[in-house]
Amino acid sequence: MTPVTGVLFDMDGLFRIWENTGATQSEELAHLPAGTIAHYAYDHPAYRAARVGILTDTAWADDVTQRLAHDYHQPLNDMREALIPWRQDRGTPVPAMIKLLIEVRRHVPAGVLSNCTDALDRDLEHHSITFDYDCSSARLGVDKPSPHAYRLAAERMGIPATSLAYFDDEPTFVRGAEAAGLQAQLFTGAADVASHLRRLGIPVPGE
């Protein structure tokens, strides 16, 4: 097995959990059925455009707001006001993984490869999460599970794909990483990540 000289992580589900409390609050304020915001925000081509950097996060959110106001016959400013909790909700950080990341960075570079908008940098700062490399899909211009996303992330980190360990909680994305040559592992928890990294020769502490 090729020695690992860097680690690449997914973001959501590992370092941040979404409980969607903001969206729920906004739906109540705007008198929208439960799940409406998720449908309008993430099940629309505009989100894919934002995810690969064609639209900014702000432009995408404005598009969501305008479509909701139009379809639910509400004044645009009222809808914009109601959606503030949704926009302000940046998820809940996972302390165990943030602590592990600090330990990983003592030994090898660590990057994040996330399918997300250009809001990732602000979100990382908000949660005090520091990676050596931000390889968000919006920055790369391509999203997972395309093998190109993983290869571009490896290039950005200056590490051969075969020398990168990768962790993701989505099996399809793990397979995409494997297709690109990374040493990919399905995420099941911080303790398992630490154990796997030790097997790869990165001396992070155990529980």
Side-chain angles (χ1 to χ4, degrees), residues 1 13 39 43 58 72 89 92 99 104 124 130 154 162 185 188 203:
M1 181 181 293
H39 175 64
D43 298 337
T58 299
Y72 284 88
D89 182 3
T92 302
K99 180 179 178 181
V104 170
L124 291 174
T130 302
T162 53
Q185 183 79 12
T188 56

Side-chain angles (χ1 to χ4, degrees), residues 175-195:
R175 290 195 290 272
E178 290 173 338
L182 282 70
Q183 299 184 39
Q185 183 79 12
L186 183 67
F187 174 82
T188 56
D192 285 342
V193 171
S195 177

